């Protein structure tokens, strides 16, 4: 599958920062726009900065990149403060609290946390502690987003979260999970295994997933939940995590596939290794690729996934609205839904969502 | 060369090709538009702004295209990421003006941003922080038609390096009753067409005076921090505000200071320190302008800061 030119230029800048200096003005504008859209500017700016290249960009690009660096640092600071406040709210509660995704990369001071923007904080807690935790955060200024009864029902029974929590004063968002994949889905990674291997973060009361589990969670989110909205940025998360742990974590590679199997996440891991390897040139030891082959889907499925993932991730150009991209996104989300819930429940869920969207649209049209 | 110096054919060729590039203070804008009528209306709003020969690096990028299936509707893409689909044509121009605004809020962290109107006289800036709908655009429009220089109707740009206010003059958004009010107050002001049916009601744009645009490269020292409160039935009155109060109240309209941590606080504190701080109640525009004029007795025009 060929990568379209602007996306290819952006990936090239990510992998080999000095290549960006050769872009002409138009290409540079387009790459900046695409990076902006993908929330990749802070990460990209970090790469240029580390390579000592910032000064060699023309003035406006340099300004934009420096601004992106400041934005990344701002997110780091904000996230650490938010986690501080969460810890404070939960300090009476004796259960483990595992930070997930972007916030975890930041609090654990991992390279994947630099230049990482987030929209909310995700934590994993034991299921039995959910009511106590909910009470505690509601008492410290968090509120539930207003939702209708069905949303409440959906969140509490079918998904793996409390309804999202929103802090009225700080405007931040908190998602409390008790599993990393929906409990009704086909794959059931056992939370107890995740907690057992979780690592405390020094100087905090929080933990993060162990390296293999961090990678697997990211892979599951991308390739099982089907949420490729974070797209290439989430793929770069995986790339950075794999490179870092591969180089710094003893026996990381040997442990990865067996761990995936114990968590029933072999298939998402296969996809993760496939697409990071192809798009981001992530160096994966041959032995690991061979072991992951066991979880390779049948030929047709793999070909369909290839087509969907490439189309959903890589726009042919920055400006046009691409129906095939939208369709690919929808198809992957649908697959995610299908993997999340049994068919009769899925049917009911979708009917309700469509009904609600139609009612909202009618209201909008009437108002005009 | 300004936008108005381009003849129609050249103008449309830019808009329908690689884009028309123009300068708004420190910002470069690029706009592409498939629909000639809308392109001309955008060009009218920015007619006195200098054209920049493209392609150059830009701060804001606007793309207006025909909707793929609905012929009377348009799509608007801002900076490659915010997409409005299926806009009625009568909403395109106000949406473009609004999009350029949003683009600055989200794009630039080179400057510290306050949600505030800023005008300048005698080299000093009067900064009016305020929520939308509290009358600051109307007050701003009134002031600039009586000799104050427009920096912005909505966005105070503070340079973190030296604390100066930086100008980015562009069309002022007037809403509903403000439109006839300003037409009466400033008969010589140039206003674009009124656009009804937006989320904020009827909207029209007042073009910045040419002097504001030609002098946009000249920054200003902080002079006055004024919290405006249009209150029907009151006489215009400037009530001194303590620095502490001013810091907290202005801080509510700070947009990206948090990103800069402690430095953000210091820049805001410096601004408040260097300003005379007031709350300002008024109802009649003439009175209001007179009260504010009295703050800066006009001895020299637009003196540059040292």
């Amino acid at each position: 599958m060929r990568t379209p030119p602007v996306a290819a230029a952006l990936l090239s800048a990510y992998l080999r920062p000095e290549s960006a200096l050769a872009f002409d003005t138009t290409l540079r504008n387009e790459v900046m726009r695409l990076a902006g859209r993908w929330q990749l500017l802070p990460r990209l700016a970090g790469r240029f900065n580390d390579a000592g290249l910032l000064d060699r960009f023309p003035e406006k690009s340099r300004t934009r990149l420096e601004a992106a660096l400041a934005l990344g640092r701002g997110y780091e600071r904000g996230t650490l403060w938010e986690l501080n406040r969460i810890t404070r709210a939960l300090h009476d509660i004796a259960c483990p609290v595992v930070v997930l995704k972007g916030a975890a990369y930041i609090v654990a001071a991992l390279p994947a946390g630099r230049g990482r923007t987030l929209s909310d904080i995700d934590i994993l807690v034991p299921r039995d502690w959910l009511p106590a935790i909910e009470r505690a955060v509601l008492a410290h200024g968090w509120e539930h987003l207003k939702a209708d009864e069905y949303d409440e029902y959906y969140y509490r029974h079918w998904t793996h979260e409390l309804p999202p929590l929103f802090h009225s004063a700080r405007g931040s968002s908190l998602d409390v999970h008790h599993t990393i994949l929906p409990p009704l889905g086909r794959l059931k990674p056992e939370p107890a295994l995740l907690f057992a291997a979780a690592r405390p973060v020094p100087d905090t009361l929080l933990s993060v997933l162990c390296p293999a589990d961090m990678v697997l969670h990211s892979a599951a989110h991308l390739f099982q939940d089907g949420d490729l909205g974070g797209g290439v940025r989430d793929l770069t998360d995986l790339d950075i995590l794999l490179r870092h742990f591969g180089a710094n974590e003893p026996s990381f590679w040997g442990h990865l596939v067996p761990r995936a199997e114990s968590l029933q996440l072999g298939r998402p891991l296969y996809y993760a290794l496939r697409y990071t390897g192809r798009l981001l040139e992530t160096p994966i030891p041959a032995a690991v690729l061979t072991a992951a082959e066991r979880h390779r889907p049948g030929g047709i499925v793999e070909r369909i996934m290839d087509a969907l993932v490439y189309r959903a991730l890589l726009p042919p150009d920055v400006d046009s609205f691409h129906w095939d991209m939208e369709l690919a996104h929808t198809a992957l989300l649908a697959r995610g839904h299908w993997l999340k819930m049994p068919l009769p429940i899925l049917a009911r869920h979708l009917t309700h969502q469509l009904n609600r969207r139609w009612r909202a649209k009618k209201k909008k049209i009437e108002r005009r | 060369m300004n936008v108005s110096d381009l003849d129609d054919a050249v103008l449309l060729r830019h808009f329908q090709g690689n884009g028309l590039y123009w300068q708004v203070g420190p910002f470069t804008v690029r706009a592409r538009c498939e629909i000639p009528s809308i392109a001309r209306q955008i060009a009218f709003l920015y007619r006195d702004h200098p054209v920049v020969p493209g392609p150059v690096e830009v701060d804001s990028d606007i793309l207006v295209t025909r909707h793929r299936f609905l012929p009377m509707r348009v799509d608007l893409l801002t900076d490659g990421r915010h997409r409005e689909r299926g806009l009625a044509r009568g909403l395109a121009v106000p949406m473009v003006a609004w999009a350029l605004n949003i683009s600055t809020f989200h794009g630039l962290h080179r400057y510290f941003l306050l949600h505030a109107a800023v005008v300048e006289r005698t080299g000093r800036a009067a900064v009016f922080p305020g929520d939308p709908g509290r009358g600051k655009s109307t007050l701003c429009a009134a002031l600039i038609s009586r000799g104050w220089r427009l920096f912005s109707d909505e966005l105070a740009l503070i340079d973190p390096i030296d604390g100066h206010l930086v100008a980015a003059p562009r069309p002022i958004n007037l809403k509903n009753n403000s439109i006839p009010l300003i037409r009466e107050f400033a008969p010589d002001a140039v206003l674009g067409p009124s656009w009804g049916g937006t989320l904020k009601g009827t909207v029209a744009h007042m073009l910045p005076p040419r002097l504001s645009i030609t002098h946009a490269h000249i920054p200003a020292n902080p002079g006055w921090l004024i919290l405006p409160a249009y209150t029907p039935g009151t006489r215009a009155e400037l009530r001194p505000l303590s620095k502490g109060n001013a810091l907290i109240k202005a801080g509510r309209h700070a947009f990206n200071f948090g990103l800069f941590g402690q430095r953000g606080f210091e820049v805001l504190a410096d601004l408040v320190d260097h300003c005379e701080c007031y709350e300002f109640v008024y109802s009649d525009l003439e009175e209001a302008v007179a009260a504010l004029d009295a703050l800066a007795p006009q001895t020299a025009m637009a003196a540059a800061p040292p």
Side-chain angles (χ1 to χ4, degrees), chain B residues 133-254:
Chain B
R134 298 282 262 130
K136 64 179 193 297
S137 296
T138 312
L139 189 59
C140 182
L143 288 166
I144 66 174
S145 44
R146 295 293 167 88
W148 290 75
R149 175 160 67 103
L150 175 68
F151 270 42
S152 179
D153 61 328
E154 184 131 342
L155 215 48
L157 300 168
I158 303 160
D159 191 334
I161 298 173
D162 53 24
H164 285 158
L165 280 298
V166 170
R170 57 174 199 187
I172 297 180
N173 227 303
L174 296 172
K175 298 182 275 273
N176 301 314
N177 293 333
S178 299
I179 303 170
L181 196 67
I182 291 294
R183 279 196 207 276
E184 194 193 315
F185 184 87
D188 292 335
V190 180
L191 264 65
S194 295
W195 306 94
T198 74
L199 278 174
K200 301 192 173 176
T202 304
V203 155
H205 304 91
M206 175 177 160
L207 268 57
R210 283 207 187 90
L211 208 68
S212 298
I213 299 175
T214 55
H215 283 59
H217 60 286
I218 304 176
N221 287 323
W224 308 274
L225 186 67
I226 302 171
L227 289 133
Y230 170 75
T231 315
T234 54
R235 317 278 346 247
E237 192 192 339
L238 283 160
R239 298 173 184 159
L241 196 57
S242 74
K243 302 265 181 183
N245 261 327
L247 180 64
I248 293 178
K249 292 186 184 211
R252 289 204 191 107
H253 304 286

Side-chain angles (χ1 to χ4, degrees), chain A residues 115-138:
Chain A
R116 181 60 156 75
T117 57
L118 355 157
S119 49
D120 49 31
I121 301 223
D122 294 83
I123 59 175
L124 177 73
V125 300
R127 186 180 189 154
D128 294 338
W129 288 89
L130 275 179
I133 289 181
E134 191 178 8
R135 277 195 300 274
V137 296
L138 289 177

Side-chain angles (χ1 to χ4, degrees), chain A residues 11 22 30 82 124 134 144 173 196 242 296 305 325 340 345 347 352 356-357:
Chain A
L11 293 178
E30 291 187 311
E82 195 60 31
L124 177 73
E134 191 178 8
H144 285 306
S173 221
L242 286 167
R296 187 178 192 151
M305 272 302 274
M325 265 189 91
K340 266 196 249 211
I345 295 167
H352 181 90
R356 212 166 47 155
R357 214 173 293 164

